[in-house]
């Protein structure tokens, strides 16, 4: 069975803290993505990666960075968390041939 | 720019048929996806259309008209477990990332 695992289902952090959200996939997929999902706004793309050490900005990259040191792992970093980054964060992976996305269970982040 | 529109909410009766529409305006087109997302869970893949016409998969069917920038997801013999959000997503060219609509929340009532 395909599996995308996100490190934390629920996190509570304080404003200004550094936050790491980790995502691991076991399908040997080339492509990985980070989205955030907010009520009324849908899924919005933060960053994506089509290869190890490669990253591309999505539609809303401000305040975020990413790291992809290994093919199976794609990390999202909030250098200094702010309250407007309170959201559900979804990681997804995809084969290089542009098939469907496989999503992780999501990480619900609350920034106080 | 890219724009994907779908209704915010729909309600339908158990056993009935419901059609969820999606219209899109994108610079190109290389496929349309439908996902189902139950509350508090990850989206899961339902269907994919890249050519005009109807794709049927059990109780679920998806239709695409590229000339009209239009798709619909048809759910037959509705069950309570079909209560979920349904997300329409479009890839505008090549292997660019999917762009999602805001989702349609479907409530199935007895």
């Amino acid at each position: 069975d395909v599996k995308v695992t996100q490190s934390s289902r629920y996190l509570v952090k304080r404003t200004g803290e550094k936050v790491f959200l980790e995502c691991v996939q076991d399908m040997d997929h080339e492509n990985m993505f980070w989205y955030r999902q907010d009520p009324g706004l849908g899924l919005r793309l933060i960053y994506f990666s089509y290869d190890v050490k490669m990253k591309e900005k999505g539609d809303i990259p401000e305040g975020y960075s990413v790291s992809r040191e290994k093919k199976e792992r794609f990390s999202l970093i909030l250098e200094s968390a702010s309250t407007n980054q309170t959201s559900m964060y979804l990681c997804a992976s995809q084969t290089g041939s542009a098939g469907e996305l496989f999503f992780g269970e999501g990480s619900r982040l609350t920034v106080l | 720019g890219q724009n994907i529109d779908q209704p915010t909410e729909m309600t339908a009766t158990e056993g009935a048929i419901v059609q969820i529409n999606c219209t899109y305006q994108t610079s190109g087109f290389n496929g349309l996806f439908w996902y189902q997302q139950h509350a508090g869970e990850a989206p899961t893949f339902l269907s994919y259309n890249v050519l005009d016409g109807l794709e049927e998969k059990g109780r679920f069917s998806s239709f695409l008209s590229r000339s009209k920038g239009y798709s619909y997801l048809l759910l037959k013999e509705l069950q309570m477990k079909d209560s979920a959000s349904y997300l329409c997503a479009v890839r505008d060219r090549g292997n660019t990332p999917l762009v999602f609509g805001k989702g349609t929340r479907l409530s199935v009532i007895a």
Side-chain angles (χ1 to χ4, degrees):
Chain A
D1 241 5
V2 294
K3 192 82 173 169
V4 179
T5 303
Q6 294 185 226
S7 54
S8 305
R9 289 296 305 273
Y10 301 95
L11 303 95
V12 179
K13 298 291 182 181
R14 297 211 174 271
T15 302
E17 281 192 83
K18 191 168 187 175
V19 182
F20 291 89
L21 299 178
E22 296 214 307
C23 175
V24 178
Q25 51 97 1
D26 65 359
M27 296 164 283
D28 202 35
H29 283 170
E30 287 80 9
N31 305 338
M32 296 187 76
F33 307 83
W34 276 105
Y35 289 88
R36 64 178 281 179
Q37 186 174 33
D38 300 287
L41 297 178
L43 273 85
R44 293 179 292 165
L45 181 64
I46 306 171
Y47 267 96
F48 61 101
S49 169
Y50 286 165
D51 201 353
V52 176
K53 301 208 185 275
M54 175 269 185
K55 60 186 177 185
E56 293 276 355
K57 292 179 180 179
D59 299 317
I60 51 163
E62 296 78 19
Y64 304 95
S65 62
V66 290
S67 171
R68 191 156 182 212
E69 296 295 319
K70 294 185 178 181
K71 188 176 185 180
E72 68 270 19
R73 188 180 300 266
F74 192 36
S75 301
L76 180 69
I77 303 151
L78 289 68
E79 293 289 341
S80 177
S82 63
T83 54
N84 64 11
Q85 292 178 310
T86 292
S87 187
M88 170 67 86
Y89 289 89
L90 287 164
C91 174
S93 73
Q94 180 192 49
T95 67
S97 59
E100 70 201 75
L101 293 179
F102 294 89
F103 285 90
E105 291 294 315
S107 298
R108 183 168 293 283
L109 172 67
T110 301
V111 183
L112 302 175
Chain B
Q2 299 161 321
N3 193 41
I4 300 172
D5 285 316
Q6 45 182 138
T8 303
E9 292 190 43
M10 299 182 71
T11 301
T13 305
E14 194 175 15
I17 299 172
V18 71
Q19 178 175 311
I20 302 174
N21 295 326
C22 172
T23 58
Y24 62 91
Q25 296 98 39
T26 54
S27 52
F29 181 81
N30 191 28
L32 186 144
F33 296 75
W34 284 97
Y35 285 81
Q36 179 190 59
Q37 186 179 25
H38 286 101
E41 297 183 12
T44 55
F45 170 76
L46 285 178
S47 69
Y48 170 65
N49 296 72
V50 67
L51 300 176
D52 290 351
L54 191 68
E55 295 282 341
E56 296 188 78
K57 199 185 284 187
R59 294 189 299 115
F60 292 8
S61 304
S62 57
F63 171 82
L64 175 68
S65 168
R66 288 173 298 170
S67 63
K68 295 181 179 176
Y70 168 69
S71 172
Y72 67 71
L73 181 69
L74 194 72
L75 291 74
K76 303 175 186 174
E77 302 168 16
L78 279 172
Q79 301 174 10
M80 301 300 282
K81 67 178 182 179
D82 297 328
S83 292
S85 289
Y86 292 86
L87 314 179
C88 174
V90 174
R91 182 166 52 227
D92 67 356
R93 65 187 182 281
N95 188 20
T96 54
L98 297 186
V99 178
F100 284 82
K102 292 182 170 63
T104 298
R105 184 158 59 195
L106 173 67
S107 299
V108 180
I109 58 175

